[in-house]
Amino acid sequence: LHMGHALNGSMQDALVRMNRMRGRNTLWILGTDHAGIATQAKVEQEVRAEGKTRQGLGREAFVERVWEWKEKYGSQIIEQYKRLGASCDYERERFTLDEGYVRAVHKVFKQLYDKGYIYRDNYMVNWDPGTRSAISDLEVENKDVDDFLFYIDYPIEDSDEVLTVATVRPETMIGDTAIAVNPVDERYKHLIGKHAILPLAGRRLPIHGDDDVEIGFGTGALKITPGHDIKDFEFGRKLGLPEIVVIGPDGRMNKEAGDYEGQTVAEAQKAIVEDLRAEGVLRKEEPYTHSVPFSHRSGERIEPLISLQWFCRMDELARPAMTVVEADEVDIQPDQWSRVYLNWLEEIRPWCISRQLWWGHQIPVWYCDPCNETIVAENAPERCGQCGGELRQEEDVLDTWFSSALWPFATLGWPDDTPELRAFYPTSFLTTAREILFLWVARMVMTGLEFPGDIPFRDVYVHSVIQARDGRRMSKSLGTGIDPLEEIDERGADALRFGLLAMSSTQDVRYSDAKVEQGSDLANKLYNASRLILLNAAEVEPAPRTAHVEDRWLLSRLEKTIGSVTERLEAYDFAHAVQECYAFVYNDLCDWYLEIVKPRLYEGEEDVSATLLYALERVLALLHPTMPFVTEEIWAYHPARDGHLVVHAFPEADTSLIDEDAEEDVAGAIALTRSLRAWRDMVGVPAKAVLPAVVDGIAPSEFVGRLSRFAFDGVGSQPVASVGPVRVLASEALDAEAVEARLGGRRKELRSEIDRAERKLGNEGFVAKAPVAVVEEERGKLDRYRRELKELEGG
RNA sequence: GGGCGCGUAGCUCAGUGGGAGAGCGCUCGCUUCACACGCGAGAGGUCGCUGGUUCGAAACCAGCCGUGCCCACCA
């Protein structure tokens, strides 16, 4: 399980839990693909460590070994998902090589073959010498490599002229079969139709004219090696050139390469360059940086090779897959990824689906050698239908993604018409990393539309990439990976889930320990606040009680939070959803409400008890989708508990409890409390001193004095300062100089604010064009500042 | 070569037209009977640069600089 899985799981689980709690019929199937290349390589390594080889074991025994390996390790990731708290339907776990799944794969293969989409061809593919298999375009990764560009003179037949060509791969020149120049190139057009002689090999190379040759690049003359370069291959097919292959599947020169046979590509390059130099035809060599394909699987340099492979044409499948995204039937978010998806499908090319491996779905094709028949069937045929002879099954297996592409319906029982398929297809939601968009998502859409005949999912959310702490890619080979399980051990699954959701975003982000820490802090806070509530509340039914203004305030804040968090989750805005939960629990509930009502709570007063139990129940349920463990644990102690929280109702915002007046009143009292605290801190009053004061006008709420340590029953002394309506009286705890310094500071602040507001209101454009409410607000502020300043100067 | 992002407080990131925000870190004060994984109060930002649009720009437009990712058969 890597961090991407953990993020993905946290998002999906939040949605699944929320919807399950809402009473909806939810299904989350977890499963694994057989990861053909990676798994086979792993087991092959084991076998080699025992001094044996895959070939020595034979196909059947080797595949048996891989199954053993799979039984041993395949369940690990499932167990890890459980530790994360993913509430999947674990008894429905699926694997892409399950019996039923194989049926789906065969049926799809056969139907695509019958439609003419799947075909076999001798064509140029990305050959991975590391795995000795063809791989698809999507498994190729281009990297910049520092090479040399070699300029080689090819003599023109029956002439003293030479034609200089440039190449980065002289080792393939033995396979040259032509040269091309641009027909409008003045330097060379007289050579078109003549022949050049291939150095070292002596082959006659016809010189062709072709518009695709760039006059300005290299020397403007292009040597054509149809066996070893994709562009040359296409040239060759267009011009009907012979295709000479000089490098074998093992990455070594073959017998076509003559003297160089058996050498590795690198050795052959060195030798050939030496020989060219000896012949005096190597005109120059210069350093050259260019983009080179590497295998994403083995890391080795791709060798473009002509070989007999199975392909799937994609045009017909791609078109409807584009339409559904254009029409937003499949909604890819954030939106920019729709365009990436569409651009890719627009330029899609045939997909090489065969792999020269043993682990995977062996292609359901049988050959009859005597009568040259090819049979494609869902089930293995007994004998050749023509001659009754023995059949030989195609040895290659399918690209793992070919079977993964069927996941949304194959896991629900397709091709059978199952209740699961009817109930849950099309599915609602898929989260994915963006590197999976083409490999998997696009292909699921294509097969979904082609086979069950409907989109596989409605919403696709492309989540951010969590990078390592230093901004590099998290990768095992770089050693930058962070193990989610270690994080779970250290801080808990809830903390990790909260942290990942909080740090996720539409852009790529660095892994943030602080966010995970914030998650564990929140769990801790919830636990302690719950303890306070559950140990002190009177035995009453949880219910919202509205007799006290602070209770109305809390309930109003709570219901607004519920509404907002729910909206955020529905919009897949997980980061804001969890941060709002955090802010509510910390600020509204703990810092203010609990502190305000403590005296009432300790007395076991019923209104506050009922309100708190009610609020706690709703907060636990609201947080459960993101922090399932701690909320479930606390729930076990809640008096309203009936069964498990995981199946308790998710709260729905009760707008009748929203009370703007109460919010305004309490917000005012809170602001005053904060001003008083700030004032005494600024003036340097001992923390415990209770300061005497009197209040102008209506007395503030009881808690203002309690939480700021002021006694508003002021006796005797002179007022020395004003904080809002509060006149602070002289006392031993007050230092006159500090008070004066503080007042001076405030006066300065006010003058600057008044200046700013006056300038703004003096701007005719502002007053004339800005919305009335904005202007009015500004006037209000100016008035308040002027009044306060006047008071301070007067006092 | 084409495309898509990003550049905001010491760090990691929110914020998309009306007086700069969060978490962490930092400073000061608190062992206050839920929590020191805590409480209270603060400091800290010419919002990459330059122009433009607007009464008003971190946000919109253009250019530049820096940085990341994806796609691509220029030998």
Side-chain angles (χ1 to χ4, degrees):
Chain A
L1 188 83
H2 65 235
M3 214 41 97
H5 292 128
L7 171 62
N8 213 299
S10 300
M11 290 179 169
Q12 295 190 55
D13 195 48
L15 294 173
V16 166
R17 283 181 189 265
M18 176 172 73
N19 284 295
R20 186 187 300 119
M21 289 170 81
R22 286 165 149 183
R24 295 183 186 162
N25 203 8
T26 59
L27 175 71
W28 184 15
I29 293 182
L30 189 62
T32 47
D33 67 33
H34 56 281
I37 294 176
T39 311
Q40 171 158 333
K42 189 87 196 166
V43 176
E44 222 176 327
Q45 210 178 349
E46 262 184 24
V47 167
R48 236 178 287 129
E50 296 167 10
K52 301 183 214 151
T53 64
R54 163 162 73 97
Q55 289 75 10
L57 282 177
R59 184 165 190 152
E60 210 169 310
F62 180 78
V63 169
E64 193 51 44
R65 276 291 297 263
V66 186
W67 273 107
E68 281 167 26
W69 188 91
K70 189 260 166 189
E71 295 308 327
K72 200 165 157 196
Y73 297 109
S75 58
Q76 269 188 10
I77 193 158
I78 307 290
E79 293 310 308
Q80 293 172 340
Y81 266 100
K82 288 181 183 170
R83 291 208 50 207
L84 184 68
S87 60
C88 307
D89 293 61
Y90 287 103
E91 71 279 10
R92 291 173 187 268
E93 180 192 333
R94 296 302 303 271
F95 181 56
T96 46
L97 288 174
D98 285 348
E99 213 175 301
Y101 208 109
V102 171
R103 277 176 58 215
V105 170
H106 286 186
K107 192 177 179 75
V108 164
F109 186 93
K110 167 119 175 80
Q111 286 194 16
L112 291 174
Y113 178 84
D114 290 344
K115 276 194 130 174
Y117 296 174
I118 286 181
Y119 58 95
R120 199 182 191 203
D121 193 13
N122 214 6
Y123 204 82
M124 177 152 284
V125 294
N126 303 301
W127 184 262
D128 174 4
T131 61
R132 303 240 178 133
S133 174
I135 58 176
S136 76
D137 296 341
L138 288 178
E139 292 164 301
V140 170
E141 190 183 0
N142 290 294
K143 288 186 204 164
D144 277 351
V145 168
D146 293 325
D147 267 331
F148 285 92
L149 191 56
F150 299 93
Y151 291 79
I152 304 164
D153 289 343
Y154 284 30
I156 303 298
E157 191 179 49
D158 302 327
S159 146
D160 297 336
E161 272 188 87
V162 294
L163 187 52
T164 308
V165 300
T167 179
V168 284
R169 301 205 62 194
E171 66 274 20
T172 66
M173 67 184 285
I174 312 296
D176 285 2
T177 54
I179 288 180
V181 298
N182 195 302
V184 301
D185 191 334
E186 292 298 333
R187 294 171 296 176
Y188 305 128
K189 68 183 193 188
H190 66 285
L191 296 174
I192 293 172
K194 294 189 175 175
H195 286 77
I197 303 300
L198 178 62
L200 307 181
R203 185 180 303 125
R204 292 176 74 230
L205 308 176
I207 300 171
H208 291 274
D210 195 294
D211 298 340
D212 283 348
V213 178
E214 261 187 62
I215 295 174
F217 192 88
T219 61
L222 172 65
K223 72 185 199 61
I224 300 181
T225 320
H228 293 286
D229 181 280
I230 298 166
K231 188 169 184 177
D232 290 6
F233 174 78
E234 281 166 9
F235 261 120
R237 287 260 160 133
K238 188 164 69 177
L239 300 169
L241 299 172
E243 292 161 2
I244 299 174
V245 173
V246 299
I247 301 171
D250 56 356
R252 288 174 181 270
M253 307 304 286
N254 66 12
K255 66 176 190 296
E256 286 287 342
D259 297 346
Y260 307 103
E261 182 180 358
Q263 297 185 358
T264 66
V265 166
E267 289 163 354
Q269 176 177 112
K270 209 173 157 201
I272 286 172
V273 168
E274 288 296 312
D275 293 346
L276 290 171
R277 191 173 288 128
E279 282 202 14
V281 293
L282 183 65
R283 183 163 289 241
K284 64 172 175 173
E285 52 191 294
E286 56 190 28
Y288 183 64
T289 303
H290 64 146
S291 172
V292 173
F294 285 84
S295 164
H296 197 71
R297 297 292 159 203
S298 69
E300 290 204 23
R301 192 161 169 162
I302 292 296
E303 200 55 68
L305 216 65
I306 298 171
S307 67
L308 189 57
Q309 302 284 351
W310 288 91
F311 295 88
C312 183
R313 335 179 358 176
M314 304 304 285
D315 307 282
E316 293 87 348
L317 294 170
R319 222 168 294 129
M322 293 171 73
T323 309
V324 293
V325 167
E326 280 162 354
D328 270 346
E329 284 171 49
V330 171
D331 187 5
I332 302 178
Q333 303 170 42
D335 204 47
Q336 75 241 32
W337 299 107
S338 304
R339 258 173 302 143
V340 173
Y341 168 99
L342 290 171
N343 289 343
W344 183 69
L345 285 176
E346 220 158 90
E347 301 190 3
I348 197 159
R349 286 180 301 160
W351 174 15
C352 176
I353 54 174
S354 47
R355 297 288 179 275
Q356 287 65 57
L357 304 172
W358 287 349
W359 176 241
H361 295 99
Q362 194 168 350
I363 293 180
V365 170
W366 287 265
Y367 305 108
C368 174
D369 294 322
C371 63
N372 216 7
E373 266 285 295
T374 297
I375 303 164
V376 177
E378 288 177 44
N379 299 301
E382 293 280 326
R383 304 213 150 255
C384 173
Q386 297 277 321
C387 66
E390 288 273 322
L391 293 172
R392 173 175 60 83
Q393 187 174 1
E394 167 64 59
E395 301 227 331
D396 290 353
V397 300
L398 289 165
D399 182 356
T400 302
W401 294 108
F402 186 91
S403 46
S404 301
L406 320 182
W407 189 261
F409 49 93
T411 52
L412 295 174
W414 188 91
D416 295 334
D417 179 25
T418 60
E420 287 86 353
L421 197 61
R422 268 177 273 141
F424 295 108
Y425 195 91
T427 68
S428 320
F429 178 73
L430 175 84
T431 42
T432 183
R434 43 179 157 292
E435 73 258 25
I436 305 297
L437 199 57
F438 307 143
L439 278 169
W440 197 29
V441 179
R443 288 163 176 171
M444 286 191 282
V445 177
M446 290 189 264
T447 59
L449 292 169
E450 178 71 18
F451 295 98
D454 201 348
I455 55 170
F457 27 69
R458 216 178 41 235
D459 288 354
V460 176
Y461 182 77
V462 180
H463 68 243
S464 49
V465 174
I466 310 276
Q467 302 166 330
R469 293 179 249 259
D470 60 4
R472 284 189 295 169
R473 229 187 152 66
M474 265 199 208
S475 116
K476 219 183 265 176
S477 55
L478 285 174
T480 50
I482 300 169
D483 183 355
L485 294 161
E486 281 175 24
E487 297 290 284
I488 290 174
D489 286 341
E490 212 170 308
R491 274 114 156 211
D494 286 339
L496 178 67
R497 293 168 61 120
F498 177 97
L500 287 172
L501 293 178
M503 73 184 87
S504 76
S505 138
T506 54
Q507 67 164 312
D508 295 349
V509 289
R510 299 178 184 206
Y511 186 79
S512 163
D513 296 283
K515 287 285 194 297
V516 179
E517 194 71 50
Q518 204 182 341
S520 72
D521 288 350
L522 177 58
N524 183 254
K525 196 74 172 171
L526 265 181
Y527 184 85
N528 284 302
S530 301
R531 189 162 69 178
L532 173 69
I533 295 166
L534 296 173
L535 290 179
N536 291 285
E539 284 183 28
V540 289
E541 275 299 300
R545 302 261 184 114
T546 53
H548 295 74
V549 67
E550 63 263 30
D551 299 353
R552 294 198 297 278
W553 173 83
L554 190 264
L555 292 165
S556 186
R557 303 290 308 148
L558 171 66
E559 298 305 322
K560 277 187 181 173
T561 302
I562 290 170
S564 173
V565 168
T566 306
E567 266 176 44
R568 303 278 200 188
L569 287 175
E570 284 172 338
Y572 314 132
D573 180 1
F574 301 96
H576 289 103
V578 299
Q579 309 255 35
E580 277 181 29
C581 290
Y582 178 93
F584 175 78
V585 171
Y586 262 75
N587 304 332
D588 295 335
L589 181 61
C590 294
D591 290 349
W592 290 107
Y593 187 70
L594 287 178
E595 293 304 330
I596 290 169
V597 300
K598 263 181 188 172
R600 293 171 58 204
L601 184 61
Y602 289 144
E603 279 169 22
E605 196 246 331
E606 293 200 351
D607 282 348
V608 74
S609 299
T611 302
L612 267 174
L613 289 172
Y614 173 82
L616 180 59
E617 176 181 345
R618 290 172 79 73
V619 166
L620 291 175
L622 182 68
L623 274 162
H624 185 260
T626 47
M627 307 184 89
F629 291 103
V630 71
T631 51
E632 189 74 72
E633 172 69 15
I634 297 169
W635 179 240
Y637 297 94
H638 195 284
R641 168 191 178 219
D642 53 341
H644 290 287
L645 185 56
V646 67
V647 289
H648 187 266
F650 193 75
E652 202 175 314
D654 180 352
T655 50
S656 73
L657 289 172
I658 289 174
D659 186 334
E660 299 295 353
D661 291 339
E663 285 206 41
E664 204 182 317
D665 285 356
V666 176
I670 286 174
L672 178 57
T673 307
R674 298 189 58 135
S675 305
L676 290 167
R677 284 169 170 174
W679 185 88
R680 51 181 296 153
D681 219 59
M682 198 69 79
V683 171
V685 185
K688 283 182 175 164
V690 176
L691 300 180
V694 290
V695 182
D696 282 349
I698 307 160
S701 301
E702 168 275 334
F703 71 81
V704 175
R706 174 163 49 89
L707 298 182
S708 61
R709 291 178 188 265
F710 273 85
F712 295 137
D713 51 4
V715 269
S717 342
Q718 285 287 106
V720 292
S722 294
V723 180
V726 175
R727 303 225 174 282
V728 186
L729 304 179
S731 68
E732 280 177 21
L734 279 182
D735 173 345
E737 260 177 53
V739 171
E740 189 40 50
R742 163 75 182 144
L743 291 178
R746 180 62 184 160
R747 281 192 291 265
K748 204 173 148 195
E749 231 170 69
L750 286 169
R751 285 192 198 102
S752 135
E753 288 303 313
I754 288 167
D755 186 49
R756 188 197 56 76
E758 278 174 344
R759 266 203 320 256
K760 193 159 186 178
L761 287 165
N763 180 338
E764 280 173 34
F766 174 74
V767 178
K769 295 186 182 175
V772 181
V774 175
V775 178
E776 280 311 307
E777 202 188 322
E778 201 60 40
R779 288 206 173 106
K781 282 180 204 160
L782 181 57
D783 278 353
R784 280 197 300 281
Y785 295 143
R786 279 178 174 155
R787 263 204 311 273
E788 190 185 340
L789 182 62
K790 198 171 159 194
E791 215 167 70
L792 285 187
E793 282 169 339

